[in-house]
Amino acid sequence: MANRVTIQIAGQRYTMLADESIEYMNEVAELAQQTIAECGGSVAFASTRALALATVNLADEYIKAKTAAEAAEAKCRALEAENTALRQQLERRGTGHAGGRDR
């Protein structure tokens, strides 16, 4: 069920519907406000320039995080494949479990 939450960014109030909690949406608004402030905006007002720079900064962070997550997922898949191959090798040797010893 969607939550109705009103957040304030750069002096403007926005009422949003979100599946996330009100606390989460307030955290999102706070991050947006901090990013705008870092780009020259204020709590009460942000120029178009500050908003554009904040958008670029957040997009940059998102793309970097997405790329890192995709790399981690690929590494996880590779490790799972390696694990499967090693288990199959152990089973072929007749140990049946990872704790077995070759004799």
Side-chain angles (χ1 to χ4, degrees):
M1 181 174 170
N3 293 310
R4 181 178 297 271
V5 60
T6 301
I7 58 175
Q8 188 163 331
I9 300 172
Q12 297 293 314
R13 294 172 55 95
Y14 301 93
T15 300
M16 307 180 88
L17 291 176
D19 290 332
E20 292 80 8
S21 69
I22 292 170
E23 293 79 15
Y24 175 81
M25 292 305 297
N26 284 328
E27 186 177 349
V28 168
E30 180 61 28
L31 175 60
Q33 185 62 51
Q34 287 174 352
T35 305
I36 291 166
E38 290 168 4
C39 295
S42 71
V43 173
F45 175 78
S47 67
T48 303
R49 182 178 186 274
L51 292 172
L53 289 172
T55 301
V56 169
N57 285 346
L58 289 172
D60 175 56
E61 289 176 20
Y62 167 78
I63 290 169
K64 287 177 180 173
K66 182 180 172 191
T67 301
E70 289 169 350
E73 287 174 2
K75 184 174 183 175
C76 185
R77 283 191 299 274
L79 289 170
E80 287 172 345
E82 181 182 0
N83 187 15
T84 299
L86 289 171
R87 285 178 188 259
Q88 289 172 349
Q89 284 179 358
L90 285 173
E91 288 173 4
R92 282 193 296 269
R93 290 183 181 178
T95 61
H97 57 80
R101 296 179 181 229
D102 292 335
R103 295 192 178 156

